[in-house]
Amino acid sequence: MRRADPGGGARSHAGVAVSRALRGLPTVSAATRRRVLAAAEQLQYAVSPSASRLAGGRTGTVAVVVPRITRWFFGTVVEAVEEFLQDSGYDLLLYNLGGRERTRQRVLRTASLHKRVDAIILVATPLRAADVHALTKLDLPGVTISSGSEVPGWPCVRIDDVAAARTATRHLLDLGHTRIAHISGDPDDELAFTTHLDRRRGYQEALRAAGLRPDPSLDVESRFTIDGGTRATAELLARGEPPTAIFAACDEMAMGAITALRDAGLRVPQDVSVMGIDDHDLAGVLGLSTIAQPAADQGLLAARILLDPLGVRATEPYPGLVPAPRGAGTGDGTPPPVILPTRLVVRESTAPPRAH
């Protein structure tokens, strides 16, 4: 039988003090910290991050959930998040839903995340009531990126999609276009994205502000992909007289629109102007006019906000932005969203309509 060590309690308390001193925690006196650091330097002791995490009950890992990692926006956000987490000593655990509802339910509504991660970032992942309930029960800090995925108490980082779409449509109106089509997201998409609804709203608001009534025949729904944009534009052209301009809900759809127009013998922008949203890496190569959104900055800022309650402080604040304090915003303690600015980028794909 193992005997109790009469000095074990004292050694245990001493070990805790040493650990706290080495990690720079404020609960240790200055004199104790000096003695511990001097001894550690003499012994060339280094703190083991993994041991510190285990002792504190942490995993040192942050879960990042994305609908489809192959899309430009999601990949750009994840890369920025991972870079910041690595610099802060954290690992990233990626959950790619891949457009599968069953995967979404397994990740968000079961114990997949329990005790595996310290925090969660949801990237443009729309949530149902059961998802929100399951995430709340985990009692983990979290941040959402993009609208449509709000969790009570979690900060949200996003752009103003309505305003971005208004600016895009207004650019085409200012060029003299009045017959402006819109290709947007598919409401039957399994993951039920909501971004396209805000962008359609901004498009319609800009038309009405210009005294134009939105024409349902100029509004086509498809998936947020190049192929989706190609199909939507082909359907639009099959409906009769082509528009003089197309506003696509994302750059990838706009690229597909350009392909479909050229396949139909129409020139961009001489016959039809094309406008997108994103400023995709290929937008400049293709001369695509667009609304640039700071995708990487959304990921970077979300990671900074997320690690704050875990005790990791950014060495520099995000330029020009001060995240809202916890407790501000809604009555349930959810802070107001941090909205990053967008900007109009005019390239060769938009021009005034031809005079007939």
Side-chain angles (χ1 to χ4, degrees), residues 54-79:
L54 289 172
R58 290 184 179 175
T59 66
T61 303
V62 172
V64 178
V65 182
V66 297
R68 295 179 188 272
I69 191 60
T70 54
R71 303 284 172 81
W72 171 83
F73 177 78
F74 304 133
T76 303
V77 167
V78 169
E79 184 177 17

Side-chain angles (χ1 to χ4, degrees), residues 173-197:
L173 290 166
D174 290 346
L175 288 173
H177 295 278
T178 55
R179 188 170 169 77
I180 303 170
H182 181 52
I183 55 177
S184 185
D186 183 359
D188 295 327
D189 189 304
E190 274 191 333
L191 291 176
F193 290 113
T194 59
T195 300
H196 69 282
L197 299 177

Side-chain angles (χ1 to χ4, degrees), residues 101 104-105 108-109 126-136:
E101 176 63 21
R104 185 241 286 270
Q105 292 186 18
L108 300 180
R109 301 185 197 176
L127 302 173
R128 298 184 174 91
D131 302 328
V132 174
H133 177 71
L135 289 168
T136 303

Side-chain angles (χ1 to χ4, degrees), residues 8-287:
R11 278 197 294 270
S12 175
H13 287 302
V16 170
V18 169
S19 174
R20 288 175 176 170
L22 288 169
R23 286 184 286 154
L25 298 181
T27 52
V28 180
S29 70
T32 300
R33 181 177 288 109
R34 283 195 298 270
R35 288 197 302 271
V36 169
L37 293 178
E41 185 177 357
Q42 208 169 15
L43 296 170
Q44 295 184 330
Y45 177 84
V47 179
S48 166
S50 58
S52 297
R53 290 166 184 166
L54 289 172
R58 290 184 179 175
T59 66
T61 303
V62 172
V64 178
V65 182
V66 297
R68 295 179 188 272
I69 191 60
T70 54
R71 303 284 172 81
W72 171 83
F73 177 78
F74 304 133
T76 303
V77 167
V78 169
E79 184 177 17
V81 169
E82 184 172 32
E83 182 178 346
F84 185 84
L85 291 179
Q86 287 181 345
D87 289 346
S88 304
Y90 276 77
D91 296 323
L92 180 150
L93 181 59
L94 178 66
Y95 288 91
N96 176 32
L97 303 184
R100 297 178 291 272
E101 176 63 21
R102 289 178 60 187
T103 304
R104 185 241 286 270
Q105 292 186 18
R106 179 181 61 79
V107 170
L108 300 180
R109 301 185 197 176
T110 67
S112 295
L113 298 171
H114 185 58
K115 293 186 178 179
R116 299 186 67 182
V117 298
D118 297 330
I120 306 168
I121 296 178
L122 296 179
V123 185
T125 304
L127 302 173
R128 298 184 174 91
D131 302 328
V132 174
H133 177 71
L135 289 168
T136 303
K137 281 182 64 178
L138 288 173
D139 195 27
L140 291 173
V143 176
T144 63
I145 298 176
S146 187
S147 58
S149 56
E150 289 78 9
V151 177
W154 288 18
C156 177
V157 177
R158 62 180 177 86
I159 64 169
D160 187 334
D161 288 293
V162 177
R166 273 200 306 263
T167 301
T169 308
R170 198 158 48 230
H171 168 62
L172 297 171
L173 290 166
D174 290 346
L175 288 173
H177 295 278
T178 55
R179 188 170 169 77
I180 303 170
H182 181 52
I183 55 177
S184 185
D186 183 359
D188 295 327
D189 189 304
E190 274 191 333
L191 291 176
F193 290 113
T194 59
T195 300
H196 69 282
L197 299 177
D198 288 337
R199 294 180 181 179
R200 175 183 283 120
R201 179 180 151 201
Y203 156 76
Q204 293 177 344
E205 286 181 359
L207 291 180
R208 291 191 180 101
L212 300 173
R213 179 180 298 178
D215 183 349
S217 70
L218 294 177
D219 194 333
V220 182
E221 296 168 339
S222 190
R223 294 186 180 272
F224 267 48
T225 62
I226 293 176
D227 182 63
T230 302
R231 291 173 181 271
T233 305
E235 180 181 336
L236 185 66
L237 296 177
R239 292 181 178 181
E241 180 187 355
T244 62
I246 295 175
F247 163 47
C250 71
D251 280 357
E252 289 172 83
M253 295 188 85
M255 295 172 193
I258 291 173
T259 299
L261 290 169
R262 288 175 176 168
D263 288 347
L266 296 170
R267 298 168 300 165
V268 177
Q270 293 89 340
D271 298 317
V272 182
S273 288
V274 177
M275 181 84 193
I277 288 185
D278 278 337
D279 204 20
H280 187 288
D281 291 343
L282 294 178
V285 177
L286 298 175

